[in-house]
Amino acid sequence: MSIKLEVFTSKTCPHCPSAVTVAQKVKEQLGDELDFQHLDVDENIDKVRQYQLMSVPTIVIDGKIAFIGAPSEEELLQSIKKRQLLNSQ
């Protein structure tokens, strides 16, 4: 079962590129275990409303807000691995 990772950003956000870079690095490590989507908030209003997002970057893991702001690669990897453990139980 793959983990769904959604990274919400905006073109005007100065911190958003680092969140995307971190997510891409984690995707490279996990491969098919991770379903990674990069979503611009202006183009995905329905999802923004669904998650009630208030700022960017925001990272959602399996439908739950995991980070507001850009985490480190290690922080994101730990959150994903924690979710994998919860899903396997």
Side-chain angles (χ1 to χ4, degrees):
M1 173 183 268
S2 68
I3 299 291
K4 185 173 183 177
L5 176 68
E6 297 167 291
V7 180
F8 289 87
T9 64
S10 170
K11 292 175 183 84
T12 60
C13 167
H15 304 289
C16 290
S18 63
V20 174
T21 300
V22 166
Q24 289 170 332
K25 287 180 180 180
V26 170
K27 169 67 177 166
E28 288 173 10
Q29 292 179 48
L30 298 178
D32 291 340
E33 295 177 51
L34 192 65
D35 174 18
F36 167 58
Q37 293 182 327
H38 175 202
L39 304 157
D40 185 284
V41 291
D42 296 323
E43 298 168 8
N44 294 278
I45 298 298
D46 290 340
K47 286 257 188 188
V48 169
R49 288 183 182 135
Q50 174 188 344
Y51 294 127
Q52 299 177 354
L53 302 182
M54 300 298 284
S55 64
V56 288
T58 297
I59 296 179
V60 176
I61 301 173
D62 278 348
K64 295 186 173 144
I65 295 174
F67 296 96
I68 297 173
S72 70
E73 188 176 334
E74 184 60 32
E75 289 171 321
L76 182 56
L77 197 53
Q78 285 178 359
S79 285
I80 291 168
K81 289 185 179 209
K82 181 179 177 183
R83 177 64 53 197
Q84 285 173 321
L85 286 173
L86 290 173
N87 287 349
S88 68
Q89 294 178 354

